[in-house]
């Protein structure tokens, strides 16, 4: 957001496994690990037994599983499990002036032909040197010169990470981004003006396997997944590519076999997109719904295909209003609620929540203040 065995729009492809368990074995039984320095990530990469398997060759005998469409209901083994050890998240291991050079593994279009615009799932190989937690972001520095500062590089663009800390290959060496290509059309001529297109999104969507990419980070604490209570409720609200961090949450909850991490709560995803062809990771989410109906709910708002109760377009806030009574009760009982997507999503959602609160005889300002105080309110918009 291509490797020949990632996802097509029709479904997922799984590559047969060689000796997967031996490849994923951890060798850090005696090392103490701290996330807050580059030395940790460097030593991890240097000591793993898989370091002699490089670049594309490393993936030929591994399970390449971006989607769960063709996986079994049993969970997937992950490694190295030492990624669970640190108590604090990794933060800013690499900064703009000292960025990390990673490589593109694959770039795949993940929307159908009728979707407005193009969205890509992009897998990046960081070789274990840029660890992160679910809900964090990477910074990307596109190649070229900053037009506003001749001679200087482009500014960093932040992207929410769309994978768990183990990555799409479950070995702790990759991260995935979900990127919509930003394209500008002249309102008078109706023609595309490449000079005004999004520099970083087009660089990412045009990348090829093996291309180098400059990464900073990871950054962010607001969207970290609270895991102290395995039976907690998590209400996740997204528009478009804002679904990225939730993909990581849900893979961690339902796909990966993480020692001492059994999710027994409720994950409820609301996803707003234009139409069916615009749905992102729908095969994964639908499978979770099938396999874990008691722990997962999935509601979609398709603005160009569905109508709300007033006859207008169905937006994510309309879905929230539809289930508002349940949502408010869950929040009263300690549920976490997350918002990720374009800034424009928040006013409509806030207005809906305020109206619903008033109808219930509550003060939304007071309720919001309490949610923030209790650390139940998580917002990351761009």
């Amino acid at each position: 957001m291509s490797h020949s065995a990632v996802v097509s729009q029709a479904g997922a492809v799984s590559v047969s496994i060689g000796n997967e368990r031996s490849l994923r074995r951890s060798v850090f039984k005696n090392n103490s690990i701290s996330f807050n320095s580059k030395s940790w990530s460097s030593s991890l990469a240097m000591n793993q037994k898989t370091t002699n398997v490089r670049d594309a060759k490393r993936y030929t005998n591994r399970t390449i599983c971006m989607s769960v469409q063709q996986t079994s209901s049993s969970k997937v083994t992950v490694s190295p499990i030492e990624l669970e050890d640190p108590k604090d998240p990794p933060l800013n291991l690499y900064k703009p002036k000292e960025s990390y050079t990673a490589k593109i593994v694959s770039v795949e279009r993940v929307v159908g032909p009728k979707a407005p615009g193009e969205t890509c799932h992009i897998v990046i190989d960081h070789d274990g040197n840029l660890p992160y937690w679910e809900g964090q972001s990477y910074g990307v520095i596109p190649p070229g010169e900053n037009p506003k500062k001749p001679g200087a590089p482009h500014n960093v663009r932040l992207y929410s990470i769309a994978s768990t800390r183990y990555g799409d290959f479950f070995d702790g060496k990759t991260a995935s981004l979900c990127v919509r290509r930003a394209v500008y059309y002249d309102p008078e001529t109706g023609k595309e003006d490449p000079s005004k297109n999004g520099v970083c999104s087009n660089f990412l969507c045009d990348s090829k396997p093996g291309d180098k990419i400059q990464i900073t980070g990871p950054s962010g604490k607001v969207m970290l997944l609270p895991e102290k209570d395995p039976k907690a409720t998590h209400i996740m609200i997204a528009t478009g590519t804002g679904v990225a961090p939730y993909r990581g949450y849900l893979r961690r909850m339902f796909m990966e076999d993480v020692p001492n991490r059994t999710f027994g709560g409720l994950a409820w995803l609301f996803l707003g997109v234009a139409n069916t062809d615009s749905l992102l990771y729908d095969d994964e989410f639908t499978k979770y719904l099938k396999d874990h109906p008691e722990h997962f709910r999935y509601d979609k708002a398709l603005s160009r295909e569905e109508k709300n109760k007033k006859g207008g377009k169905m937006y994510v806030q309309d879905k929230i209003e539809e289930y508002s009574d349940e949502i408010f009760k869950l929040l009263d009982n300690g549920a976490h609620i997350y918002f990720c997507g374009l800034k424009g999503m928040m006013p409509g959602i806030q207005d809906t929540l305020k109206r619903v609160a008033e109808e219930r005889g509550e003060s939304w300002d007071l309720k919001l203040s309490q949610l923030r105080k209790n650390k139940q309110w998580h917002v990351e918009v761009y």
Side-chain angles (χ1 to χ4, degrees):
M1 210 107 58
S2 68
H3 198 278
S4 60
V6 185
V7 150
S8 68
Q9 185 61 25
V13 178
S14 288
V15 173
S16 60
I17 304 170
N19 188 349
E20 180 186 359
R21 189 169 297 277
S22 66
L23 281 168
R24 290 179 179 163
R25 250 192 332 242
S26 167
V27 296
F28 287 92
K29 294 179 180 175
N30 300 313
N31 289 7
S32 64
I33 297 175
S34 168
F35 261 143
N36 295 315
S37 71
K38 293 179 193 176
S39 60
W40 174 83
S41 55
S42 298
S43 67
L44 176 61
M46 287 170 63
N47 284 280
Q48 280 186 318
K49 288 184 178 180
T50 56
T51 49
N52 62 329
V53 188
R54 292 295 183 192
D55 303 327
K57 290 182 181 178
R58 193 172 71 214
Y59 300 104
T60 55
N61 291 320
R62 309 298 299 276
T63 296
I64 297 181
C65 182
M66 194 196 88
S67 166
V68 297
Q69 187 78 8
Q70 295 183 14
T71 64
S72 66
S73 295
S74 59
K75 291 191 173 184
V76 181
T77 303
V78 295
S79 74
I81 58 170
E82 282 73 12
L83 289 174
E84 302 293 323
D85 291 349
K87 293 181 180 179
D88 298 311
L91 286 170
N92 302 313
L93 300 177
Y94 289 88
K95 299 179 181 179
K97 289 185 179 179
E98 295 180 350
S99 60
Y100 179 76
T101 303
K103 287 184 180 179
I104 298 290
V105 175
S106 62
V107 178
E108 289 290 328
R109 178 186 171 101
V110 287
V111 291
K114 294 180 182 178
E118 180 179 26
T119 301
C120 295
H121 181 85
I122 298 163
V123 181
I124 297 166
D125 178 6
H126 59 74
D127 204 27
N129 293 314
L130 206 53
Y132 56 90
W133 282 7
E134 299 75 23
Q136 289 192 300
S137 299
Y138 271 171
V140 177
I141 305 174
E145 188 177 280
N146 189 332
K148 295 181 180 179
K149 297 178 182 178
H154 283 289
N155 293 332
V156 174
R157 270 72 162 184
L158 288 178
Y159 292 93
S160 297
I161 298 172
S163 50
T164 73
R165 65 193 70 188
Y166 298 100
D168 280 10
F169 302 92
F170 312 109
D171 63 358
K173 293 192 173 189
T174 68
S176 300
L177 305 181
C178 182
V179 179
R180 177 167 176 170
R181 187 190 294 271
V183 180
Y184 175 82
Y185 290 93
D186 189 295
E188 292 183 5
T189 65
K191 293 182 179 180
E192 181 183 341
D193 184 350
S195 68
K196 296 181 180 179
N197 287 347
V199 173
C200 199
S201 66
N202 282 273
F203 158 67
L204 287 168
C205 291
D206 289 335
S207 294
K208 300 290 185 291
D211 286 356
K212 292 182 179 179
I213 176 174
Q214 300 304 126
I215 304 287
T216 68
S219 63
K221 287 185 175 182
V222 172
M223 296 292 285
L224 291 177
L225 181 63
E227 293 186 303
K228 286 184 180 179
D229 180 6
K231 294 187 177 180
T233 294
H234 303 272
I235 303 167
M236 301 164 279
I237 297 160
T239 56
T241 57
V243 78
Y246 309 144
R247 179 183 183 257
Y249 296 174
L250 295 170
R251 284 170 76 93
R252 187 162 172 83
M253 291 171 180
F254 301 124
M255 182 194 267
E256 297 179 339
D257 182 13
V258 182
N260 304 316
R261 295 283 183 194
T262 301
F263 180 67
L266 172 67
W268 192 353
L269 173 63
F270 291 87
L271 175 57
V273 293
N275 55 23
T276 303
D277 270 21
S278 303
L279 288 169
L280 300 167
Y281 311 116
D282 188 60
D283 53 350
E284 292 191 29
F285 304 150
T286 301
K287 186 149 195 327
Y288 300 147
L289 195 61
K290 178 184 175 184
D291 292 345
H292 307 277
E294 71 280 18
H295 297 296
F296 183 53
R297 293 177 66 171
Y298 179 30
D299 284 279
K300 298 168 265 193
L302 309 176
S303 61
R304 298 190 185 181
E305 294 179 4
E306 300 175 324
K307 301 290 184 185
N308 60 26
K309 63 182 182 181
K310 295 178 182 177
K313 291 182 176 182
M314 176 69 81
Y315 292 111
V316 73
Q317 60 262 33
D318 299 312
K319 280 291 179 183
I320 293 169
E321 186 170 10
E322 188 178 324
Y323 294 102
S324 58
D325 198 48
E326 273 188 273
I327 290 171
F328 270 67
K329 285 177 182 176
L330 290 169
L331 290 173
D332 289 342
N333 288 324
H336 290 270
I337 189 165
Y338 310 80
F339 304 88
C340 191
L342 295 173
K343 285 180 183 177
M345 73 185 275
M346 288 310 294
I349 290 172
Q350 290 267 34
D351 289 345
T352 296
L353 292 171
K354 184 176 183 179
R355 184 172 65 254
V356 170
E358 289 171 352
E359 288 171 358
R360 293 166 56 90
E362 300 180 57
S363 162
W364 173 244
D365 290 340
L366 234 109
K367 193 171 192 71
L368 178 57
S369 175
Q370 194 61 45
L371 291 171
R372 284 175 170 155
K373 184 179 178 182
N374 295 343
K375 298 182 179 179
Q376 293 172 251
W377 184 262
H378 312 262
V379 180
E380 186 170 86
V381 291
Y382 40 84

